[in-house]
Amino acid sequence: MSLEDLRQIIPTPLEEIYPEDEPQFTPPTRKKSWVHKASSILLNIQKYSAYGFLGFYGLHLASTVIVPGLGLSQQTCQDVFEMARNVYMGPLMEPTMVYATGVLHVAAGVALRVVRSLARRDKRVRKETDIIIKEENRDDIGLGGIGTIFGLGFKKSWISSQFPSFTPLTFSGYIMTGALAYHFAKMKLGPVAIDGDSSLITLSYVTHYLHQSPYGSLGCYFNYAMLVLLSWVSFYHTVSGLFKYRRQFSLRAKKIAYGIIAFMTALSVVSITRMRHWSLEVGFLGKQFAKYLFVV
């Protein structure tokens, strides 16, 4: 083709070639399944009910673990305990901050497990054992195992390897629920069954709880072990749950979490041991405490 064959033409606007009113292709939006919608709702219920329960948990923790664990006098410990109890056992605070948030959190967790179990019933889940994982935000590694502290990488937890539908966080939640139910029966239901309320409960009641049981010395050791178990598993569940909600998955964050759990568990053991060595109440109060412990 030579230059003589070239001809000048009138420019044509692009709008005429690709008119705006011509339908454009848009990729179809994928509808969310009922499992995704239900899981999202239940996860939000779990998250915000946990934040609500933390108000009670923090006050109770300060008055029963931190203050006694730091070695303050028995009278000071009791004063702090009564001040904290007056807050979370108020007419509006106890039903909402303690019972409503706790029941919602547990119920949402159980419902979430049911929903996910229904979604997985047709899927084969391959068991993985003894593998090193690089993804730090996986639920099945929990806090990554003790090896995380020494920089050995993240390892899938034993519970997730044996039972793929469980994660360390959910498993600790079930253990905490059982330990908390036993604690509630001894610390709340016993007094309510005898007196109709728990207004007489003091930190000295814990001393009786650690020394008196319908099952003798074995029951006393069991009570001690249940308090330690409740402390440890509640610290693990709370700290790991908060770190997950705040999306703190780094190796440094996991080491900090382990440090907090270890320190608070040790402090709770010190606190429980201190209360175990306090003097038992005598007279009317001592008799009432004995009735509380032997009725449940």
Side-chain angles (χ1 to χ4, degrees), residues 59 79-91 93:
L59 287 170
D79 291 341
V80 174
F81 174 77
E82 290 182 359
M83 285 190 294
R85 187 176 62 174
N86 287 336
V87 174
Y88 62 72
M89 288 189 68
M93 299 299 287

Side-chain angles (χ1 to χ4, degrees), residues 1-9:
M1 179 181 290
S2 63
L3 292 176
E4 296 178 355
D5 297 328
L6 297 177
R7 297 287 184 272
Q8 185 176 3
I9 62 174

Side-chain angles (χ1 to χ4, degrees), residues 113-142:
R113 176 166 172 77
V114 171
V115 168
R116 288 177 172 174
S117 297
L118 292 174
R120 278 196 296 257
R121 62 184 176 182
D122 296 328
K123 296 181 181 179
R124 291 184 178 180
V125 181
R126 182 173 60 90
K127 286 187 178 181
E128 295 177 312
T129 57
D130 199 26
I131 63 171
I132 301 299
I133 298 170
K134 295 182 179 179
E135 298 89 348
E136 57 189 16
N137 60 342
R138 281 177 53 165
D139 288 337
D140 56 1
I141 66 173

Side-chain angles (χ1 to χ4, degrees), residues 87-100:
V87 174
Y88 62 72
M89 288 189 68
L92 294 178
M93 299 299 287
E94 187 177 18
T96 55
M97 183 188 291
V98 183
Y99 300 132

Side-chain angles (χ1 to χ4, degrees), residues 189-263:
L189 294 185
V192 170
I194 298 297
D195 291 335
D197 58 44
S198 58
S199 58
L200 291 180
I201 295 299
T202 65
L203 287 181
S204 295
Y205 179 64
V206 179
T207 306
H208 284 255
Y209 167 84
L210 296 170
H211 281 279
Q212 297 175 337
S213 170
Y215 306 102
S217 298
L218 185 62
C220 295
Y221 285 119
F222 181 77
N223 288 344
Y224 185 95
M226 288 300 292
L227 271 185
V228 175
L229 174 64
L230 177 60
S231 299
W232 171 73
V233 76
S234 67
F235 295 142
Y236 179 90
H237 190 73
T238 303
V239 173
S240 59
L242 283 176
F243 273 54
K244 179 182 178 181
Y245 287 153
R246 305 305 301 170
R247 305 198 65 78
Q248 300 296 318
F249 301 117
S250 66
L251 177 60
R252 180 173 177 271
K254 294 181 187 296
K255 288 182 178 180
I256 292 174
Y258 271 123
I260 295 172
I261 294 167
F263 174 76

Side-chain angles (χ1 to χ4, degrees), residues 166-180:
F166 276 108
T167 66
L169 186 60
T170 56
F171 184 71
S172 65
Y174 285 112
I175 299 298
M176 179 180 172
T177 301
L180 192 59

